[in-house]
Amino acid sequence: MNQLAAEGMLDQVPSGGMVVARLNREDIIELYELREALEVYAVGKIARVPMRMADVDRLQHLVDEILKLQKELEKSKKNTLDEKQMDRFIGCDLGFHALLMSMTHNSRLQKIINETRLLIRIFAIYRTGHDLESLKSIHQYHQRILDAVGKQQSEAAMTAIAEHIQASQRERLNEYDHWKREIALQQSVPAFFGIRKPTS
């Protein structure tokens, strides 16, 4: 616990317990910069050798599952994925990146990338269901990455994953900024949100 606190993953509270730390804006930027540097390098390495057809098929299946979710959302006329659909999306998204990174055959690199992605997911603010535009964008990025890696087009693969991670970073920072504005507004105008100030 003390080690996690020293690494900034836990915060000590006055009662003596510990709570999961919340990332600040700079933390989010640093984690995404680390993720981009590592995953761009990894994809460049992967794209330099031919892929096994079994791996291509598994990756394509994960890409197609996101397209399936996109079509479900279009058909439902809803604005965002529901909780169960988001669970499926997260499985496909994590699975795509994890399978891709496993092809580096570098366990240390995989470990750092997985830890970085986990920190972003655990400590960032709560994410609502993806909308249609987000699903289309993620599906297109994943397909571009897979196509480039499959054709051994190293530069194209590296560009595609860099753009994908940068887009994800912008989305996460926008969520963070929105959350900060909401908190500031609640503190300055609590009555508007039905929050009563404590009486003395």
Side-chain angles (χ1 to χ4, degrees):
M1 295 284 280
N2 289 332
Q3 179 65 29
L4 290 172
E7 292 175 5
M9 298 180 189
L10 296 176
D11 285 336
Q12 193 148 14
V13 294
S15 63
M18 291 191 177
V19 296
V20 175
R22 183 179 292 280
L23 292 182
N24 60 38
R25 202 175 197 280
E26 192 58 37
D27 291 325
I28 295 170
I29 291 170
E30 288 178 1
L31 283 169
Y32 269 101
E33 285 177 349
L34 177 60
R35 187 185 155 198
E36 182 180 345
L38 295 174
E39 291 195 42
V40 167
Y41 166 78
V43 162
K45 178 182 178 182
I46 295 161
R48 286 193 284 271
V49 296
M51 289 179 70
R52 297 186 312 139
M53 279 310 301
D55 289 331
V56 174
D57 290 343
R58 288 165 70 194
L59 286 166
Q60 188 62 60
H61 171 73
L62 292 167
V63 173
D64 292 343
E65 283 299 304
I66 292 180
L67 182 60
K68 189 183 294 184
L69 284 167
Q70 180 184 317
K71 290 179 177 177
E72 284 179 22
L73 188 58
E74 287 176 322
K75 188 176 179 180
S76 72
K77 307 293 184 184
K78 294 179 182 176
N79 293 326
T80 59
L81 296 178
D82 62 27
E83 190 176 342
K84 287 185 178 180
Q85 289 171 321
M86 273 303 289
D87 286 343
R88 286 166 54 200
F89 166 79
I90 290 169
C92 293
D93 185 46
L94 288 177
F96 178 85
H97 286 273
L99 180 55
L100 199 59
M101 294 304 107
S102 73
M103 295 175 196
T104 62
H105 303 294
N106 183 324
S107 59
R108 292 182 185 274
L109 182 63
Q110 286 177 246
K111 183 175 184 294
I112 296 170
I113 291 171
N114 288 340
E115 287 175 353
T116 303
R117 288 178 60 87
L118 186 61
L119 280 173
I120 292 170
R121 189 167 294 279
I122 289 176
F123 298 126
I125 61 173
Y126 177 73
R127 163 173 283 180
T128 55
H130 278 310
D131 59 18
L132 198 55
E133 185 178 346
S134 297
L135 286 174
K136 286 180 179 178
S137 175
I138 293 164
H139 173 261
Q140 288 169 2
Y141 278 126
H142 283 195
Q143 191 65 64
R144 275 179 61 196
I145 294 164
L146 176 55
D147 290 344
V149 170
K151 295 174 183 176
Q152 292 181 255
Q153 296 173 344
S154 181
E155 289 296 323
M158 292 166 76
T159 297
I161 200 161
E163 290 176 0
H164 179 31
I165 293 169
Q166 289 162 14
S168 179
Q169 181 190 40
R170 286 193 298 272
E171 180 185 345
R172 188 53 58 90
L173 289 173
N174 285 339
E175 290 175 350
Y176 179 85
D177 292 342
H178 175 73
W179 173 78
K180 289 292 284 185
R181 284 194 299 271
E182 287 294 305
I183 293 297
L185 191 58
Q186 287 179 27
Q187 290 172 345
S188 61
V189 197
F192 183 77
F193 292 89
I195 301 170
R196 293 183 179 180
K197 286 187 175 181
T199 56
S200 55

